[in-house]
């Protein structure tokens, strides 16, 4: 097993990391659910970048989103970044690979949880603003948009639960 370093014997760079108890099933499922929650909005953005009608007129796509143009790179890049970020919680439930020390990973996870809550609240403000409502050309398109982006609002709660589970398991060792 792993022996904790004492004041006289600091933890060396090559020392094994402390063993953390396996994640409970619910935490593993929540971490995987976060990755799945990011998929619908990413597919919606990629469809928009590909020229599929998603509810915006051609003029709005050109003037507001710069599609076609650099807006395509931005929208596809945002989709890829969101999905990569949604995979981060899998590190908190993985038994195999830990790229960071547990204390660093825990601090990063708590920071991510707080940021996700703030971003979700901000997105609600943006979604209900008058300007965001005026760009959509139909109620059907707006409904599809809500269905694509609604799963993202589950991510802050799921991230907080998975982070809590990781911190609890880390403290228990």
């Amino acid at each position: 097993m792993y022996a904790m370093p004492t004041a006289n014997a600091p933890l060396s760079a090559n020392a094994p990391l402390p063993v953390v108890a396996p994640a409970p099933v619910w935490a593993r499922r929540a971490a995987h659910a976060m990755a799945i929650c990011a998929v619908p909005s990413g597919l919606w953005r990629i469809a928009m970048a590909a020229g599929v009608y998603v509810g915006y007129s051609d003029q709005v796509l050109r003037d507001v989103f710069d599609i076609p143009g650099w807006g395509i790179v931005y929208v596809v890049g945002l989709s890829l970044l969101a999905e990569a970020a949604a995979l981060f919680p899998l590190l908190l439930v993985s038994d195999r690979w830990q790229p960071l020390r547990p204390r660093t990973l825990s601090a990063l996870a708590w920071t991510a949880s707080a940021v996700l809550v703030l971003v979700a609240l901000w997105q609600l403000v943006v979604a209900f603003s008058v300007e965001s409502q005026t760009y959509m050309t139909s109620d059907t398109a707006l409904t599809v948009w809500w269905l694509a982006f609604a799963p993202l609002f589950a991510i802050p709660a799921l991230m907080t639960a998975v982070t809590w589970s990781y911190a609890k398991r880390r403290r228990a060792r």
Side-chain angles (χ1 to χ4, degrees):
M1 258 311 158
Y2 175 77
M4 290 300 294
T6 63
N8 296 336
L11 184 62
S12 72
N14 296 332
L17 293 175
V19 176
V20 177
V25 173
W26 69 263
R28 289 182 184 278
R29 287 183 180 156
H32 285 85
M34 278 184 269
I36 293 168
C37 285
V39 171
S41 61
L43 292 176
W44 185 89
R45 283 190 210 99
I46 290 171
M48 181 172 85
V52 175
Y53 175 73
V54 294
Y56 295 124
S57 68
D58 289 339
Q59 181 180 357
V60 168
L61 287 174
R62 271 191 315 278
D63 297 345
V64 176
F65 297 104
D66 195 24
I67 294 175
W70 282 104
I72 293 173
V73 174
Y74 170 74
V75 168
V76 172
L78 182 61
S79 296
L80 294 174
L81 180 65
E83 190 59 42
L87 294 174
F88 168 72
L90 293 175
L91 293 175
L92 301 175
V93 297
S94 175
D95 300 337
R96 297 184 185 147
W97 185 64
Q98 293 289 319
L100 301 169
R101 294 232 176 255
R103 174 175 272 158
T104 305
L105 192 58
S106 183
L108 187 60
W110 281 118
T111 302
S113 293
V115 168
L116 285 168
V117 168
L118 292 174
V119 167
L121 292 173
W122 177 247
Q123 288 302 309
L124 282 174
V125 170
V126 170
F128 288 112
S129 71
V130 175
E131 185 176 323
S132 69
Q133 300 293 321
T134 59
Y135 289 140
M136 286 287 174
T137 57
S138 72
D139 288 339
T140 303
L142 188 60
T143 302
V144 170
W145 181 86
W146 272 108
L147 290 173
F149 282 84
L152 292 179
F153 291 107
I155 289 178
L158 292 170
M159 181 66 186
T160 302
V162 171
T163 301
W164 174 81
S165 171
Y166 178 77
K168 180 180 171 189
R169 286 181 288 118
R170 206 180 138 272
R171 277 191 310 268
R173 69 164 169 78

